[in-house]
Amino acid sequence: MKPLDLAELLAAPTEPPVRDALRRLAPRALDALIIEALSATEEGWRQVVVDRVAEFAAEQPGDGRPVVAAYFTTTERRAADGPRVGWSPCVAALASTEYVPDLRHTRTTAMAVPVGEAALAEAVFADPELADALNRLAALDPPGHEDVLRIHLPTRQVTRVKP
């Protein structure tokens, strides 16, 4: 079984075969399984991001030059236990060169979204699979406010860079 398949099964623990198997595990074994599944799936989530970005980039009109990299900035959300920083599910920039564009908030155009409408904006403008994968990556390795996520399409590498 692939790690991503295991993670999907663990994400739905109420399904009969998963529920029955988990009931038989000792608490310590269950904790170890969850830690292993989460760490093994980080690369899987990265590849979901790469695949979705590659598909998005292929759909964009352009000047004939292939997209080399896509960039995502962070977003802050309110949670019950305080604000959390995660990756915005909307592509901040597509680049046809290795050069990293200036993605500082003072250099880019931002659009204000009223409180309560952020989820609606994401549902309309973002790819749900991409948003889910970005949320999982942010949960596994939380970004800082100034971090930028770089998706390098030719090498399929996902890295965090500082602008």
Side-chain angles (χ1 to χ4, degrees):
M1 177 178 288
K2 295 178 182 174
L4 198 53
D5 295 335
L6 177 59
E8 287 176 8
L9 287 173
L10 289 175
T14 57
E15 292 297 316
V18 177
R19 184 183 63 229
D20 295 341
L22 294 177
R23 282 183 183 159
R24 292 187 177 102
L25 291 177
R28 190 175 210 175
L30 183 59
D31 288 344
L33 177 64
I34 291 169
I35 291 168
E36 180 62 28
L38 286 175
S39 65
T41 60
E42 184 172 356
E43 186 57 32
W45 289 117
R46 288 175 184 271
Q47 293 313 307
V48 170
V49 170
V50 172
D51 291 343
R52 301 310 292 171
V53 168
E55 190 174 313
F56 174 78
E59 295 172 355
Q60 301 308 305
D63 56 6
R65 295 184 298 172
V67 172
V68 171
Y71 298 88
F72 293 86
T73 55
T74 56
T75 185
E76 186 175 284
R77 296 168 193 241
R78 292 185 199 140
D81 57 347
R84 292 186 182 232
V85 177
W87 298 114
S88 170
C90 300
V91 176
L94 292 175
S96 58
T97 67
E98 296 288 339
Y99 172 74
V100 178
D102 188 349
L103 296 168
R104 291 176 294 179
H105 295 295
T106 57
R107 303 275 190 230
T108 57
T109 304
M111 185 173 84
V113 177
V115 174
E117 291 184 23
L120 176 62
E122 286 182 15
V124 172
F125 298 111
D127 176 333
E129 287 181 52
L130 176 61
D132 189 38
L134 289 169
N135 287 337
R136 296 290 180 119
L137 287 179
L140 292 168
D141 185 17
H145 279 82
E146 300 298 321
D147 289 349
V148 172
L149 193 67
R150 181 177 191 249
I151 314 304
H152 191 258
L153 295 174
T155 61
R156 299 185 60 83
Q157 286 189 320
V158 178
T159 55
R160 189 185 312 185
V161 296
K162 298 277 186 193

